[in-house]
Amino acid sequence: MAAGWFRLPLTLLAAAGIGMAAPASSPQTGPAWSADPESQYLLDLQIRQRALGDGVRAYPVPEGTCVILGDLVTALDLPIKVDLAARRAEGWAFKEANRLVIDRAAHRVTYGAAGSEPLAPTAIRDAPDGWCVETASLSRWLGLTVQPRTDASLLLLDSKDKLPIEMAIERRERAARITRASMPLSTLPRVKLPYRMWRTPSVDVMVDAGVTYEAGSGARIDHRASILAAGEMLQMSYEARVATNAKGLPTGLRLRAYRSDPDGGLLGPLKATHVAIGDVDGIGSPVAGISATGRGAVITNRPLFQSVAFDRTQFSGELPPGWDAELYRNGELIAFSGADSGGQYRFDDVALGFGDNRFEIITYGPQGQVKQRVEQLTVGQGAVPPGETHYWAGVVDPGRDLLERKRGGAPPTPDAGWRAAASVEHGLDRRTSVAALVQTLSVEDQRVTYVEGTVRRSIGPAVFELGAARDTAGGTAMRGQALAKIGATNLAWSSFWSRDFAARPQGLTVTGEHRFSVDAPLKLGGDAVLPLHGDVRLTQRKDGARTIEANARTSVMLSRFNLATLLRWRQERPPGGFAARQQVEAGLIGSGRVGPLRLRGTTEFEISPSAKLRRAELSAYWRGTGTADWEGALAYEGRDGKLRGRLTHVRRFDQLAIAGTLEAASNGAIAAGLNLSFSLDRGTAGWRVSRQSLAASGSVRAQLFRDENGNGVRDKGEALEEGAVLTAGSRPADRPSGKDGWASVGGLDNFRPVAIGVDTSSLSDPNLVPAVAAQVIVPRPGVAAELMIPLAGGGAIEGSLLKDGGSAFEGLDLELVDASGKVIAAARSDYDGFFLFDRVPPGKYVLRLTEASRSAAKAASAALRSTVELQPEQAVVRLGPIVVKAMPRIAAVNQQVVSGDLLASR
C-alpha cells in the first residue's frame, strides 16, 4: 500500500491527461459537500484478485464512497473523454455498443444499449481532482459491480465477462512466460511414461462417402475410409493404418511396432535410440540413392531427428485423402504435396544449407484441421560428437506393406527387393568424422552389394565430405560434396563419378552427375529481403548423352501472403549428334490470408516446347464462426481441359468434425460427398471422443486440484479446479479444465521433451500456484499421458534493498532459490528499493542477487538472506529493509600502500 501512495503523483499526471486540468465545473445542485483533502484516500483497483493500474482516489460521502472518474478511466483504459468546461463526458465502456453519455447540463445519463436515467444530484460531485462519482451509479453506467472496501483500501470490480484490460494483461503475462521459457528442461522434474504390456490404442477415423454422376457412365457411389491406430503392446509402441479404395475394400495394412528413446536408453549396452519392425524407413546413401520405405526392421543409436544425407534430407508422414501438405524452410515456402496412393505425403531431395535448417510442415484437412510439424536440422560442426560412434542396421523391402491384400504381382518399382544395410559413423574430433556403409540391394532384378567409406571435415563456415564405393560387380564410384556459408549466402556443391557402378539405379549408364546451388537474400531496401535460389545439375551418360537442368526459385512475403515462384529449364542432348530437346516450365505456389480468407493456390505452366497451362488451383477457406467454416476451390486440368469447382461446408463439434461437399465439372459431371472425422482414446476417466487427432501425435491429460494438505495426492474432499488452462511449452490448451478438473492438450511433437504447466492467470484464486512450476514429459504417438497437478496457496514475499549509506538500491535483480538450487521466482528492486515476489509456493528459500547484479552493485556476497520461509497459511512475508553490504576496500588500499612502500625502499 505504501508503494501505491508513492505513485500518487504519477496518477495525478495521468488524470490531467484526460482533462483534469480544465476549469472546474459549476457546483452541483444537491446537499452541501466539499472535498476535504485530509479525508481523501487511495484505493487499489482489483478485479478477480488482479490489480489494475496504480489505484484510484476516493472521498467519503454521505451515501458511501465516490471515486475520481478520471482515475478510473485511466486505470481501465476506457475511451471516455471528460470535458469539464462543457460539463459532459462521452465514450463507451468495454464494448462500442455500451455507449456512455453523461450530460450534467441536461441532468441526464445515457448508458448501455438503451439505458437512460435522470442524473441524480448526489451521483456526481465536484472535487479539486475532477468529477467524483458515487460507486452505485458507476455500477449501473459501466455494467459491472463497483464495490468499495475502505477497510482494506480496495475498490473491487466484478463482471460476468473478462474486461479488455484483463485480457491484455493476460496476453502480456503469457508473452513474458514464453520469454522466460528458455530455462533448460533438465532443471524441471521429468514424468516417467512407462510402457505397458497393453495400452488401448487411440484411433483416428476418417470416412468419405459420395456419389458422382457423369453423362457417359451414369451414377457412381464411392466410399473410402482411413483408420490410424496407435497404442502399446508387449511394452512396445505400435501404429497400424488401414486404408480402403473407392469400393470400401482394404488396400493394405501398414503396421509398425517400435521403441524410441531420444536419450539412447534402449537395449542396454547398444544404447539404441530407435528399434522398429514392420513398415519402416531404410537408410539413405548419396551413392545408391535416397532411402526406401517398406516392410522390414531397423535398429540405430543415431539421433532421432537427423538428416538422411550430407546435404539432402527427406520428409514423409501420414496424409489421409483430402489433405494437403506444405513445406517451409527457414520461413520460405518451397514445396507443396497432396496425398499419394498410400495415404502419405513425401518431400524427397530437400536441400540443406550450412548451419541451422528449420523445416516446418503444415498439413490442412478437409474440415479445417491444421497440423504442424517442425524439424530442426543443423549442418556443420559436430555431426558426430568426438569419440562417439553412431550405427544403423536394418532390412527393408521397398514399396511393400507388411500385410498386403494382394500378394505377388509385379514389383512396385524397378529396384524393388529386399535391402540390408549396416552403417557406422565415428567422430574423430570436433570437426572430423569418418563413416562406413555396407548394403546389399536388388537393381534391375540383380543382387548387388557395395561398400562405401566417407570422410567429413568442417573448415570455418564450410563442411566437406569425400567418399568412395565399390560393388561386387567390380564397379566403382566416387563422390564429393561441400556446403558453405559466406555472409548470408549459402553455397552447395556435389559431384558423383561412376565407373560401371551397378549399385545405383542407372549406375551402369550414368558416368557423372554434378550439382551446384546458391541461396542468397536480395535486400530491397529497409528490412525487405527477397530470398533467391538457383541451382544447376549436369548428368553425363556412358553413351555420350547429356542432360542439363537449371532451377530458379524465389519466395516473397506480401503482408500475410507467402508466394513462391519456380522456373525450371531442362535440356537433353541425345547421343549420335541428334538435335537437343529442351523444356521450360514455370510454377507458382502461394499460401496466406486476405482478410478473413485463408488462400492457397498452385499453378504449373509449360513454356517450351509449347506454351500451355498444365494445371491451376485456387482454394479459399473462411472460418465463419467458432464451429462452422466454408471452403471453396476452383481447379483447371490442362491435360483434359476440364474445369472443376468445389464448395464445402464444415461443422466442428467437440466430438467430431463433418464436412459436406458439392462439386461440378465443365464436362457436366456433378458430385456430392460427406467427410467425417473423429478420434477415440481411453484413459482413467473412460472413453473420450474428440475431433482432434489423438493417434498421430502425443497428448497430455491433467487433473488439477487444490492440495490442502500438501501431500501431492488428491485426497477426499479436496476441491477440483475448473477453468484452468493447461500449457505445453508456450502453447495453451484449446479448452480449460472442466468441472471434473481434467484438461488436455494434444498435437504434441512425438519424442520431443515438452514442459507441461498451468497458465496461472486462468486460476480462479490468484493465490493459487502449481506446487511444481512445470513437469517435463516425452510425448508418444497415441498415448495420452495423465498427470496430477496439485495447486497450493501461494503467497508474497516483499522487502526493500538499501545501500550501506541507507539510501534505496534500485534496479537489482533478485532470485528465490529452493533447497535443490532451483530458481523459483525472480524480481527487481524498484526506484524506492521495494521488491516483491508474487505467487510463491510455500517453502523455505534463499534470497540472493543474480551474479550480474552482485557484480554491478559490488556486493560482498550474492546471498542476502539464508532462510526465507513462507508458511502455507501466510499471505505475505515482509522482510523489511535489507542492506546490501559492499565489498571492503580498505584491504586493497593498504595493499597498494604496502606495495608502494616496498618499491620505494628498493
Side-chain angles (χ1 to χ4, degrees):
M1 185 58 62
W5 281 101
F6 283 121
R7 298 185 178 95
L8 181 58
L10 298 178
T11 308
L12 291 172
L13 292 175
I18 61 168
M20 296 299 105
S25 59
S26 59
Q28 178 87 17
T29 303
W33 180 87
S34 62
D36 183 4
E38 297 298 327
S39 66
Q40 185 192 80
Y41 43 83
L42 188 68
L43 301 180
D44 289 333
L45 192 61
Q46 197 165 301
I47 183 169
R48 281 178 273 274
Q49 307 299 318
R50 181 187 294 280
L52 301 176
D54 293 322
V56 297
R57 289 164 291 175
Y59 291 92
V61 294
E63 295 77 22
T65 301
C66 69
V67 299
I68 300 301
L69 180 61
D71 290 359
L72 190 64
V73 167
T74 301
L76 296 180
D77 195 20
L78 297 176
I80 296 176
K81 180 181 180 181
V82 180
D83 190 339
L84 297 182
R87 298 171 58 79
R88 182 181 176 89
E90 187 174 359
W92 45 273
F94 314 122
K95 298 179 180 179
E96 292 191 48
N98 296 334
R99 299 291 300 176
L100 176 62
V101 179
I102 304 174
D103 192 341
R104 297 185 67 184
H107 304 289
R108 192 140 198 99
V109 178
T110 303
Y111 57 91
S116 181
E117 65 181 34
L119 182 62
T122 59
I124 302 177
R125 291 176 167 86
D126 292 309
D129 319 293
W131 290 359
C132 195
V133 185
E134 193 261 330
T135 55
S137 299
L138 280 174
S139 297
R140 294 192 306 275
W141 300 347
L142 300 180
L144 49 75
T145 301
V146 182
Q147 180 186 2
R149 286 283 307 276
T150 56
D151 57 333
S153 297
L154 292 175
L155 184 65
L156 301 179
L157 305 181
D158 191 18
S159 64
K160 181 180 178 181
D161 300 322
K162 287 188 177 182
L163 304 183
I165 191 171
E166 284 185 276
M167 294 185 286
I169 292 173
E170 290 177 4
R171 289 193 296 269
R172 289 194 294 268
E173 290 176 347
R174 282 194 291 268
R177 284 192 292 274
I178 292 173
T179 301
R180 294 195 298 268
S182 59
M183 71 169 57
L185 295 181
S186 58
T187 63
L188 300 175
R190 175 166 292 196
V191 178
K192 294 289 186 181
L193 192 56
Y195 281 87
R196 298 179 183 176
M197 294 298 292
W198 171 257
R199 192 188 295 268
T200 304
S202 299
V203 182
D204 293 345
V205 180
M206 295 192 66
V207 179
D208 282 295
V211 57
T212 302
Y213 174 80
E214 294 181 349
S217 57
R220 183 182 73 252
I221 298 177
D222 299 330
H223 47 93
R224 303 173 184 267
S226 175
I227 301 174
L228 175 65
E232 292 177 358
M233 177 176 58
L234 302 178
Q235 295 196 350
M236 294 188 72
S237 297
Y238 69 85
E239 293 178 351
R241 182 184 181 277
V242 178
T244 68
N245 57 21
K247 297 181 179 180
L249 299 176
T251 57
L253 172 63
R254 190 177 294 134
L255 178 64
R256 179 176 66 139
Y258 65 97
R259 286 283 295 267
S260 294
D261 183 358
D263 297 326
L266 302 178
L267 301 180
L270 294 180
K271 298 180 180 180
T273 57
H274 182 71
V275 180
I277 186 171
D279 293 287
V280 299
D281 292 328
I283 193 171
S285 166
V287 170
I290 62 175
S291 64
T293 300
R295 54 191 176 190
V298 299
I299 178 174
T300 182
N301 73 336
R302 299 173 67 182
L304 293 180
F305 309 102
Q306 188 179 51
S307 60
V308 298
F310 170 77
D311 65 340
R312 302 275 141 180
T313 191
Q314 67 178 37
F315 299 101
S316 63
E318 299 293 335
L319 193 69
W323 285 63
D324 297 314
E326 296 173 347
L327 176 64
Y328 292 81
R329 183 185 62 196
N330 297 331
E332 179 188 357
L333 179 62
I334 62 174
F336 173 85
S337 173
D340 60 18
S341 59
Q344 287 189 313
Y345 68 81
R346 193 172 188 90
F347 297 104
D348 292 323
D349 202 32
V350 179
L352 298 173
F354 184 87
D356 293 331
N357 296 263
R358 185 182 187 274
F359 291 97
E360 186 178 11
I361 301 170
I362 302 178
T363 56
Y364 301 91
Q367 293 93 15
Q369 305 100 318
V370 179
K371 297 181 182 179
Q372 184 183 40
R373 171 187 170 189
V374 177
E375 299 282 354
Q376 190 83 24
L377 300 177
T378 301
V379 178
Q381 299 180 12
V384 182
E388 290 190 15
T389 301
H390 292 168
Y391 66 84
W392 188 99
V395 293
V396 180
D397 188 8
R400 299 285 196 185
D401 291 345
L402 181 64
L403 300 175
E404 296 180 322
R405 188 171 68 92
K406 292 183 178 180
R407 300 182 180 274
T413 59
D415 56 338
W418 285 98
R419 297 184 180 185
S423 170
V424 178
E425 302 168 272
H426 182 73
L428 298 179
D429 56 38
R430 191 168 59 92
R431 294 178 174 271
T432 310
S433 64
V434 294
L437 170 70
V438 57
Q439 182 166 205
T440 179
L441 68 162
S442 178
V443 179
E444 301 293 344
D445 295 328
Q446 293 186 357
R447 177 63 52 181
V448 179
T449 302
Y450 74 96
V451 177
E452 177 185 359
T454 302
V455 177
R456 181 180 296 187
R457 172 76 177 178
S458 62
I459 303 174
V463 58
F464 301 86
E465 186 173 274
L466 298 175
R470 183 178 179 86
D471 63 29
T472 52
T476 58
M478 294 185 64
R479 61 183 176 87
Q481 296 172 278
L483 291 176
K485 190 169 186 177
I486 302 175
T489 302
N490 279 283
L491 305 174
W493 158 77
S494 66
S495 289
F496 170 78
W497 298 271
S498 171
R499 182 178 178 181
D500 300 327
F501 190 71
R504 183 184 179 100
Q506 293 100 29
L508 296 177
T509 59
V510 174
T511 59
E513 188 175 272
H514 312 279
R515 176 184 294 178
F516 180 77
S517 66
V518 179
D519 285 273
L522 176 63
K523 293 186 178 181
L524 302 179
D527 296 331
V529 176
L530 184 68
L532 300 177
H533 167 85
D535 65 79
V536 60
R537 181 174 181 175
L538 171 64
T539 303
Q540 297 173 317
R541 293 178 175 81
K542 194 173 183 179
D543 58 5
R546 186 177 66 175
T547 302
I548 302 177
E549 296 180 49
N551 299 280
R553 185 184 67 242
T554 185
S555 176
V556 60
M557 176 67 75
L558 299 175
S559 182
R560 301 178 65 184
F561 206 79
N562 197 330
L563 289 174
T565 59
L566 175 66
L567 183 64
R568 180 183 297 112
W569 174 79
R570 177 186 176 94
Q571 183 189 73
E572 294 187 4
R573 187 176 296 277
F578 291 98
R581 299 186 299 270
Q582 68 176 12
Q583 186 177 24
V584 182
E585 300 174 347
L588 174 67
I589 57 178
S591 178
R593 290 186 178 275
V594 176
L597 295 178
R598 187 187 78 217
L599 299 178
R600 297 174 56 247
T602 61
T603 58
E604 296 177 12
F605 298 92
E606 180 179 309
I607 301 175
S608 177
S610 60
K612 60 182 178 181
L613 176 64
R614 286 185 174 178
R615 183 177 178 273
E617 181 173 357
L618 177 65
S619 65
Y621 198 95
W622 178 65
R623 175 154 290 185
T625 65
T627 59
D629 301 342
W630 290 88
E631 192 238 3
L634 193 64
Y636 172 77
E637 297 290 344
R639 180 177 52 188
D640 50 14
K642 185 169 64 176
L643 183 67
R644 293 182 294 107
R646 183 179 73 248
L647 180 64
T648 302
H649 180 57
V650 179
R651 297 284 296 184
R652 294 187 306 277
F653 305 93
D654 290 343
Q655 293 78 18
L656 56 88
I658 188 170
T661 301
L662 295 175
E663 188 170 351
S666 57
N667 62 353
I670 58 173
L674 195 65
N675 181 282
L676 177 70
S677 68
F678 61 91
S679 295
L680 294 168
D681 79 343
R682 184 175 184 179
T684 56
W687 283 99
R688 175 175 57 142
V689 183
S690 174
R691 74 168 186 265
Q692 291 186 339
S693 173
L694 302 174
S697 58
S699 62
V700 172
R701 301 182 69 236
Q703 189 176 44
L704 296 90
F705 67 95
R706 304 195 180 195
D707 189 13
E708 297 176 358
N709 56 12
N711 64 354
V713 179
R714 182 173 181 251
D715 299 312
K716 186 176 181 180
E718 290 182 333
L720 299 167
E721 183 67 14
E722 182 182 1
V725 176
L726 202 64
T727 60
S730 59
R731 171 186 171 185
D734 293 333
R735 288 182 175 274
S737 58
K739 294 182 179 180
D740 57 359
W742 284 100
S744 62
V745 57
L748 304 179
D749 291 337
N750 296 321
F751 304 108
R752 291 187 185 272
V754 61
I756 304 299
V758 180
D759 183 353
T760 54
S761 66
S762 67
L763 299 177
S764 58
D765 187 343
N767 292 322
L768 284 178
V769 292
V772 179
Q775 304 173 69
V776 176
I777 70 161
V778 180
R780 297 202 297 266
V783 177
E786 295 190 348
L787 309 176
M788 302 297 290
I789 300 182
L791 304 174
I797 299 175
E798 65 178 40
S800 59
L801 297 184
L802 303 177
K803 299 178 182 179
D804 274 342
S807 59
F809 222 145
E810 178 186 0
L812 295 185
D813 292 322
L814 302 97
E815 296 175 334
L816 278 180
V817 184
D818 64 8
S820 65
K822 184 171 64 175
V823 177
I824 299 299
R828 174 171 291 181
S829 61
D830 211 339
Y831 67 95
D832 54 0
F834 179 80
F835 64 86
L836 173 67
F837 295 96
D838 201 8
R839 291 180 179 265
V840 179
K844 293 183 179 181
Y845 305 101
V846 172
L847 177 65
R848 73 184 186 190
L849 295 171
T850 64
E851 184 57 32
S853 289
R854 186 208 65 78
S855 177
K858 298 181 180 179
S861 173
L864 300 178
R865 288 287 180 90
S866 59
T867 303
V868 178
E869 184 173 2
L870 178 65
Q871 301 287 348
E873 65 275 4
Q874 282 182 290
V876 181
V877 173
R878 294 182 172 87
L879 301 179
I882 299 175
V883 178
V884 181
K885 295 183 179 181
M887 291 186 297
R889 301 180 182 179
I890 298 177
V893 173
N894 288 342
Q895 181 66 36
Q896 291 176 1
V897 172
V898 171
S899 300
D901 292 342
L902 290 174
L903 290 172
S905 63
R906 291 182 181 177

